[in-house]
Amino acid sequence: MRDVLYLEQREQAEVLLKPQRIEVLRQLAEPRTCTEVAARLEQTPQRVYYHVKQLVAAGLAEQVAQRQVRGITEGIYQAVARSYWLSPRLVGRIGGRRARDELSLGYLLDLMEEVQADIAALDRTAPELPSIGVSGEIRVPAERRQEFLHDLQTTLQDLFTRYGGVEGDAFKLAVACYPKGDKHD
């Protein structure tokens, strides 16, 4: 089972984004038969089988085994990933793209879409994916905000200059700085 399946096809998203199918997919985090899933969801096996077949056809679940039960072959299914990411490109941009203003929320959203697509495209079967994720909170008084942003920009430009040669492994660095909302406390 993969960690993440990045969905870029509208058809896959349409299959996934039905409440009943999401519940079926959650049950398929572990290999299960339609009968087992039906019992957990208090549904009929036929109804669950219909949804499982839709999930399999869309590449969101797969049959991993089968067994004989009273002369009937019963499939055992499992979700293909632990998480499903929906590409922002499924909706597409509403309206034109504005000029590249690195201090705008729109630029930050574009950057996050780019990071999401880049991560989804990584080869997760590689034995080693050297990466780092850092998250933290910095408190900056309003009168020092410009100084902080300047220091951050200077520090990053120094890193780009110091390690920006043409030799060695290429890494992409994206930094996001945004106000912390009340919901994140």
Side-chain angles (χ1 to χ4, degrees):
M1 177 184 283
R2 298 168 60 175
D3 284 334
V4 176
L5 181 62
Y6 190 63
L7 303 180
E8 294 183 278
Q9 297 174 8
R10 186 168 291 151
E11 297 79 20
Q12 284 182 307
E14 287 172 352
V15 168
L16 176 64
L17 294 177
K18 300 210 181 311
Q20 178 73 28
R21 291 203 187 120
I22 291 172
E23 288 306 313
V24 169
L25 203 53
R26 283 188 178 124
Q27 294 301 315
L28 295 176
E30 301 296 325
R32 292 196 169 103
T33 65
C34 292
T35 303
E36 291 168 335
V37 172
R40 289 171 161 263
L41 296 178
E42 298 178 354
Q43 299 284 331
T44 65
Q46 295 80 7
R47 183 180 185 121
V48 169
Y49 181 73
Y50 169 78
H51 291 299
V52 167
K53 281 303 186 188
Q54 297 295 314
L55 292 165
V56 169
L60 306 174
E62 63 186 350
Q63 184 174 339
V64 294
Q66 59 185 26
R67 67 180 180 199
Q68 291 293 120
V69 177
R70 288 176 246 137
I72 298 173
T73 302
E74 190 172 38
I76 301 172
Y77 300 91
Q78 186 172 19
V80 298
R82 296 186 198 296
S83 299
Y84 296 82
W85 285 359
L86 297 174
S87 168
R89 293 183 185 102
L90 287 169
V91 174
R93 182 161 302 281
I94 308 297
R97 193 170 271 220
R98 292 187 176 168
R100 187 173 167 148
D101 175 6
E102 293 178 355
L103 298 178
S104 74
L105 180 59
Y107 178 77
L108 183 59
L109 291 170
D110 289 343
L111 179 62
M112 293 301 101
E113 287 179 19
E114 188 177 317
V115 169
Q116 185 178 357
D118 288 348
I119 291 171
L122 292 175
D123 178 10
R124 286 182 178 67
T125 62
E128 182 182 334
L129 285 175
S131 60
I132 184 172
V134 178
S135 177
E137 181 178 317
I138 296 176
R139 297 200 177 256
V140 180
E143 65 273 7
R144 296 193 64 203
R145 188 176 301 144
Q146 286 304 99
E147 177 186 355
F148 164 71
L149 292 174
H150 177 267
D151 288 349
L152 180 60
Q153 187 176 25
T154 302
T155 300
L156 292 172
Q157 285 175 337
D158 178 54
L159 284 172
F160 290 138
T161 301
R162 198 172 340 148
Y163 296 102
V166 294
E167 294 187 22
D169 295 333
F171 286 86
K172 188 165 185 178
L173 175 65
V175 176
C177 183
Y178 51 91
K180 182 178 176 191
D182 292 337
K183 291 187 262 183
H184 298 293
D185 287 339

